[in-house]
Amino acid sequence: VRIVNLTIQELKIEQETYEKNQARYLVTSSTKYRVVDVLRASETFTDEEDLQKQLGIIIEAATRAVTVLYDVTEVRAQKNTMQEAIRKEITEDLKAWGLELVNFQLGDFFDTKESKIITNISLRREVEVDTTTQEQNADKHRQAREKVASAERDAKTAEINTAKIIKEREQNMLR
């Protein structure tokens, strides 16, 4: 006789995976599951450690199968879509083991020891934002200088016109 835990269990994984162009990165995931068919579950695994090891293999394979279809930027941007695709990949396997998938979520994305893809993407974006900010600031400064120059021109024109009118009045008075 073996006791089978019927509460919701969680398996957290940090794994290396690949993107469409084969760049490597790390991703974390959380899989929540529970035993719904005790007889089938008892036939599938001997203890919690054995189950988590087997589940880990299935989850890692499903995660790789999905992430390898996309660029890492797409995976990060469309995390909910990726999660749903991975859920579909693992749901039937869990059901065959007498388990029910309660929830699957992708967590954070990190660099591997050999690959700096996540850092490089972030740095590239930071440079893009910095460049855009500098360009916008330069445009604002140019616009401000143009407005000042325009205002000075308008003021000079007004002064010249006023001086012209005064001279015309003075000449008219002398006549």
Side-chain angles (χ1 to χ4, degrees):
V1 174
R2 187 167 41 125
I3 297 174
V4 176
N5 189 345
L6 298 178
T7 63
I8 295 174
Q9 301 294 308
E10 180 178 28
L11 176 59
K12 291 183 178 185
I13 296 176
E14 178 178 290
Q15 74 175 82
E16 184 176 284
T17 191
Y18 300 90
E19 56 123 37
K20 180 167 60 174
N21 297 310
Q22 298 301 307
R24 292 172 291 167
Y25 61 97
L26 296 176
V27 63
T28 60
S29 66
S30 166
T31 306
K32 293 187 179 175
Y33 62 92
R34 75 168 140 228
V35 174
V36 290
D37 183 341
V38 176
L39 185 57
R40 184 172 285 171
S42 65
E43 293 171 351
T44 308
F45 57 90
T46 55
D47 58 26
E48 204 64 36
E49 186 178 320
D50 181 39
L51 171 61
Q52 295 221 341
K53 184 178 176 185
Q54 290 181 52
L55 276 177
I57 293 167
I58 298 279
I59 293 164
E60 287 180 12
T63 301
R64 276 194 196 101
V66 171
T67 60
V68 77
L69 301 173
Y70 303 92
D71 288 328
V72 69
T73 52
E74 292 173 308
V75 173
R76 290 172 73 189
Q78 299 175 16
K79 195 154 91 169
N80 289 338
T81 304
M82 300 303 124
Q83 290 172 168
E84 188 57 39
I86 295 168
R87 277 187 203 109
K88 287 179 183 174
E89 289 275 331
I90 63 177
T91 297
E92 290 304 312
D93 288 331
L94 269 68
K95 192 180 285 187
W97 292 358
L99 305 173
E100 173 188 61
L101 178 63
V102 175
N103 192 20
F104 176 83
Q105 289 194 324
L106 289 175
D108 293 322
F109 300 85
F110 302 101
D111 294 324
T112 65
K113 289 179 182 172
E114 298 83 20
S115 170
K116 301 293 180 219
I117 188 169
I118 303 299
T119 299
N120 290 340
I121 289 168
S122 295
L123 287 173
R124 182 181 67 208
R125 182 65 186 132
E126 289 169 11
V127 168
E128 288 171 359
V129 168
D130 187 48
T131 301
T132 301
T133 301
Q134 288 181 20
E135 288 170 355
Q136 289 172 348
N137 287 342
D139 283 345
K140 295 290 181 190
H141 287 297
R142 181 188 48 78
Q143 289 170 1
R145 285 192 308 272
E146 286 174 357
K147 284 185 178 182
V148 167
S150 177
E152 287 176 357
R153 236 184 352 266
D154 291 348
K156 268 287 198 229
T157 302
E159 282 179 34
I160 292 169
N161 287 340
T162 303
K164 200 182 218 182
I165 291 170
I166 291 172
K167 279 206 182 229
E168 284 176 2
R169 284 186 186 161
E170 287 175 355
Q171 283 179 358
N172 286 340
M173 287 166 89
L174 291 175
R175 285 189 206 174

